[in-house]
Amino acid sequence: MVAITAPSSIDQIPLMRCPKANAGQAAAAIPCVDLSAPGAAAAVADACRSVGFFRATNHGVPASVADALEAGAMAFFALPAQDKVDMSGAARPLGYGSKSIGSNGDVGWLEYLLLSVSANSVKISSLPPSLRAALEEYTAAVREVGGRVLELIAEGLGVDRALLRSMVVGREGGDELVRVNHYPPCPLRAPGDCGVTGFGEHTDPQIISVLRSNCTAGLQIKLRDGRWVPVPPDPESFFVNVGDSLQVLTNGRFRSVKHRVVAPEGSHSRLSVIYFGGPAPSQRIAPLPQVMRDGEQSLYREFTWGEYKRAAYETRLGDHRLGSFELR
Ligand code: GA4
């Protein structure tokens, strides 16, 4: 790993280089599912099994909802650094963060807002009212998309349609987060055929994540065969990824996908908004009995979401977090 250092005008932080992904294979490798099509449940399950990631179209969220959030977020990120901290608190882990991710030394070329959005209200009350209103409207819409995807996943797995959705959406004491990531254009050049890391490679600990970005590229996913491929941006679609908890609930049939973001090099910022669907802390995370074959053993020791989340926060971003819960 090579660390590169920013010029003195920018904070001196080490930024890992991020090898360029294989652009030629992108389009073919990323499944696309029309959420309103008759075969959507099978297509979603297929994508979660083969890649752990897919692009979702026909989701029913009007473009104006995402546009309003994008505008509000860009206005927020254009404020002086101190105002952003004053309005939302420094990320610990919730709040406004810049370059530092989590509390174990991970860094990236980005600034962000990380918010708890459970029980329908954005917890950070001193955000500018227009941003708060846009976040609330967007959250309600993306939660519906997440809920629909969880229903399709359940149907595709052959379990009760409401089972996964009810663990996450609108659940009393549930743990839903929204993260708004802003990646300004990066003036640095990493050595070789590399970009600067915007957000280092990791899997998401939750059940599912639903991402929407503007039209600036940067997201990459790791395929099962180890190749990294860029995800062509599409502001009209949502991108869904399987989280570690869904991997466990399916006893490894679905795999949480490794992903990362390379900082933009040109003149445009990347703005992405991610909804993380996590259950209540007391929720038991173990393979669903309905998906197990006769005599099949769980690959994981049993845990609750609260336990897993606490453990996740002790790890570095790129760690294999499920490792210490695997039985073999
Ligand atoms: C990755 C997915 C979500 O962005 C997140 C991240 C969290 C954080 O930024 O506070 C973590 C990371 C994420 C997993 C390992 C720990 C915790 C940073 C980190 C180093 C909000 C989440 O839930 O887990």
Side-chain angles (χ1 to χ4, degrees), residues 100-155:
S100 168
I101 300 166
S103 52
N104 300 315
D106 289 290
V107 292
W109 187 265
L110 87 162
E111 58 178 340
Y112 59 87
L113 263 176
L114 183 56
L115 307 165
S116 166
V117 296
S118 298
N120 290 317
S121 88
V122 176
K123 293 271 159 58
I124 295 185
S125 50
S126 46
L127 288 175
S130 60
L131 174 56
R132 195 175 163 182
L135 269 164
E136 277 172 351
E137 194 184 13
Y138 181 86
T139 298
V142 76
R143 174 183 283 132
E144 257 327 291
V145 175
R148 166 99 182 112
V149 167
L150 288 169
E151 284 175 355
L152 291 169
I153 288 177
E155 200 181 320

Side-chain angles (χ1 to χ4, degrees), residues 3-4 12 22-23 57 61 97 107 132 135 141 188 300 307 318-319 323:
I4 53 175
Q12 298 284 310
N22 203 330
T57 62
V61 179
V107 292
R132 195 175 163 182
L135 269 164
L188 307 170
Y300 310 93
E307 207 182 316
D319 288 349

Side-chain angles (χ1 to χ4, degrees), residues 5 11 16 62 81 97 102 117 126 134 139 141 164 228 233 249 257 273 301 314:
T5 311
D11 299 348
M16 258 57 79
V117 296
S126 46
T139 298
L164 294 169
W228 282 96
L249 289 163
V257 68
V273 185
R301 76 171 167 81
E314 300 289 309

Side-chain angles (χ1 to χ4, degrees), residues 93 101-104 106 112 114 177 179 199 202-206 276 305 309 312-317 321:
I101 300 166
S103 52
N104 300 315
D106 289 290
Y112 59 87
L114 183 56
L177 302 176
R179 167 168 221 139
F199 206 113
H202 66 285
T203 60
D204 294 341
Q206 289 82 1
F276 299 100
W305 167 243
K309 187 170 177 174
Y313 271 91
E314 300 289 309
T315 62
R316 294 290 299 259
L317 202 50
R321 271 174 281 286

Side-chain angles (χ1 to χ4, degrees), residues 227-298:
R227 281 176 302 152
W228 282 96
V229 291
V231 177
D234 178 5
E236 277 153 35
S237 298
F238 285 101
F239 292 89
V240 177
N241 68 261
V242 170
D244 297 341
S245 298
L246 185 54
Q247 176 169 326
V248 175
L249 289 163
T250 60
N251 207 31
R253 285 168 176 74
F254 294 178
R255 294 270 286 278
S256 58
V257 68
K258 275 214 161 170
H259 54 288
R260 67 186 182 193
V261 175
V262 184
E265 282 179 6
S267 50
H268 296 288
S269 287
R270 174 177 167 86
L271 190 92
S272 61
V273 185
I274 308 108
Y275 163 85
F276 299 100
S282 59
Q283 175 69 50
R284 173 177 173 266
I285 308 290
L288 299 168
Q290 303 92 321
V291 306
M292 301 288 270
R293 280 185 296 271
D294 277 353
E296 184 177 338
Q297 302 289 307
S298 174

